[in-house]
Amino acid sequence: MGPGPINADPRVLRAMSAQLVGQYDPAMTAYMNETMALYREVFRTANEQTLLVDGTSRAGIEAAIVSLVAPGDRVLVPIFGRFGHLLREIAERAGAEVHVIEREWGTVFTAAEIEAAIIETRPKLLAVVHGDTSTTVAQPLEGLGELCEKHGVLFYTDVTASLGGNAFAADALGLDAVTAGLQKCLGGPSGSAPATFSAKAVEVINARKSIEAGIAGSDAEIAPTRIRSNYFDLAMIFDYWGEKRLNHHTEATTMLYGARECARLLVEEGIDAAVDRHRLHGAAMLAGVQGLGLSVFGDLAVKMNNVVAVVIPDGVNGDAVRGELLNDFGIEIGTSFGPLHGKVWRIGTMGYNARTDAVLTTLASLEQVLRRHGAPVVGGGGVGAAYEVYEDAK
């Protein structure tokens, strides 16, 4: 019940137990095409280039940035938590001239603040995290696509922590690049990064295309600003997933099975229904921790549906509480990073664990552990408050 990874859905685990097939087996290429179509529904996009990057969600981030950004390009990163710093570092390592604006953790930017920074820095790319689990808040993306279009800026976001549990529609938001992971609201394991790219982004990436030696023709040219990573070279990955089936790497077959099943689960449930489910159980968890008399960190007006940051009560050893929850009840919750390390617990309600029994069991267990540590909690207040949320939703 932490901020991810979470328990994988049993259907995903079963899908991943299937036997491997060759990467050019007709069944495998059919699975790849089906997966692309499913993730177009998940991302809510018509982008042809919607596929998987083999690796954790960070692999998707790095592939997007290193493929879109050439050395010397300007990148603007609004930072409001740990993972904005990650985008900044990856862009710097790609040779970009990176500009940042920062907000206090637990808050987000206004569109006006971001536009002012765009006007000042004139970036090629705006790179922003949607939901940052380090702070549990989500940056509103509405209106940013129009700003990027107005100022000639490419618009990228990472939705690893938010996709499937919070409202998101890539095309309606005007996004050029989006990357995600499986291990949160999608209910799968870490190791595959769904991603989607607009026609505009694809044009930028393909302008840097260089086919590697050994599979390129004798007359192949090396682009002067070729993508600086081979593994994360999206121009070649597009050709691997596309009709050319140009060999790049050996597809991570088992992870593709898992990613495909994650998307099938979401599409079968309905994206809006999945968001509503996360909203309900997230609201119950929020009410529950408040019902115990605990304080919550961050601006609740922009809190993600699927995770809550609970302020550790004075005099309570946060790591000891987490340890007892895990050892005595089999429940894992998270701590945080940077300025929040040791100050908050992060409790997730996401993916397969966005369920009534998981919420109620976590709240009841947390109450008992806090009592043992001398924290002044309201007896039965957590489960009682969560029940009220569930009753009101009927």
Side-chain angles (χ1 to χ4, degrees):
M1 298 296 288
I6 52 85
N7 299 90
D9 191 288
R11 272 183 50 178
V12 174
L13 296 178
R14 286 195 296 271
M16 294 180 71
S17 69
Q19 183 56 273
L20 306 184
V21 296
Q23 60 181 325
Y24 294 114
D25 186 298
M28 184 61 177
T29 53
Y31 295 153
M32 293 170 75
N33 289 341
E34 181 186 1
T35 301
M36 295 173 80
L38 285 165
Y39 276 98
R40 290 186 189 107
E41 294 190 59
V42 172
F43 284 120
R44 292 188 158 167
T45 182
N47 291 340
E48 178 184 358
Q49 298 297 354
T50 301
L51 40 73
L52 304 177
V53 176
D54 287 341
T56 65
S57 51
R58 187 176 300 220
I61 296 169
E62 187 148 345
I65 291 176
V66 77
S67 297
L68 285 167
V69 176
D73 285 343
R74 289 194 187 99
V75 175
L76 173 63
V77 182
I79 298 176
F80 59 98
R82 175 196 169 180
F83 294 102
H85 288 287
L86 174 64
L87 301 191
R88 173 188 194 172
E89 177 169 328
I90 291 174
E92 287 174 342
R93 287 177 180 239
E97 178 187 320
V98 182
H99 299 265
V100 302
I101 51 176
E102 296 193 53
R103 286 292 303 261
E104 180 182 357
W105 286 29
T107 67
V108 296
F109 295 90
T110 65
E113 288 172 321
I114 293 174
E115 182 174 27
I118 288 173
I119 293 170
E120 179 182 355
T121 61
R122 294 175 291 111
K124 174 183 181 180
L125 178 73
L126 171 66
V128 58
V129 174
H130 182 211
D132 195 314
T133 49
S134 67
T135 67
T136 75
V137 301
Q139 171 63 48
L141 302 178
E142 290 76 13
L144 299 186
E146 289 85 349
L147 292 180
C148 288
E149 180 69 24
K150 173 182 174 183
H151 296 287
V153 177
L154 291 167
F155 184 19
Y156 161 69
T157 189
D158 171 62
V159 296
T160 298
S162 54
L163 185 66
N166 302 265
F168 178 80
D171 286 359
L173 290 166
L175 279 148
D176 294 300
V178 186
T179 62
L182 305 182
Q183 72 272 20
K184 299 182 188 284
C185 299
L186 272 64
S190 180
S192 184
T196 187
F197 301 91
S198 73
K200 188 193 306 182
V202 170
E203 183 178 359
V204 170
I205 292 166
N206 280 339
R208 304 178 66 196
K209 180 186 292 188
S210 290
I211 307 302
E212 67 183 71
I215 60 175
S218 58
D219 59 345
E221 296 182 2
I222 296 177
T225 59
R226 73 170 170 173
I227 294 164
R228 287 196 160 191
S229 170
N230 177 289
Y231 187 73
F232 295 130
D233 185 329
L234 285 173
M236 288 199 288
I237 292 173
F238 291 163
D239 282 344
Y240 179 60
W241 279 79
E243 292 181 0
K244 291 182 180 179
R245 300 292 177 193
L246 187 65
N247 184 259
H248 180 248
H249 61 289
T250 301
E251 178 59 26
T253 309
T254 300
M255 284 308 308
L256 184 142
Y257 295 162
R260 173 173 167 260
E261 195 66 16
C262 288
R264 288 176 64 184
L265 282 162
L266 265 179
V267 171
E268 287 176 15
E269 181 179 6
I271 308 300
D272 290 338
V275 171
D276 287 342
R277 173 168 57 87
H278 283 84
R279 184 180 294 114
L280 172 63
H281 296 296
M285 183 64 79
L286 172 61
V289 295
Q290 291 175 323
L292 287 171
L294 301 171
S295 298
V296 176
F297 172 81
D299 183 352
L300 294 183
V302 289
K303 189 187 83 67
M304 285 188 287
N305 292 329
N306 52 299
V307 62
V308 61
V310 180
V311 177
I312 300 172
D314 292 340
V316 171
N317 184 319
D319 287 341
V321 168
R322 292 176 62 234
E324 287 188 26
L325 273 173
L326 182 60
N327 294 329
D328 296 344
F329 294 93
I331 296 172
E332 177 185 308
I333 64 172
T335 181
S336 192
F337 313 102
L340 296 181
H341 181 70
K343 296 182 180 179
V344 302
W345 296 305
R346 293 178 299 156
I347 304 176
T349 49
M350 60 183 84
Y352 182 67
N353 293 346
R355 310 188 316 263
T356 302
D357 63 309
V359 171
L360 298 179
T361 301
T362 300
L363 290 168
S365 303
L366 180 61
E367 177 185 338
Q368 296 308 314
V369 174
L370 286 174
R371 283 183 181 281
R372 284 173 46 80
H373 284 262
V377 294
V378 178
V383 170
Y387 265 131
E388 290 182 8
V389 171
Y390 290 131
E391 289 295 324
D392 289 344
K394 290 182 179 178

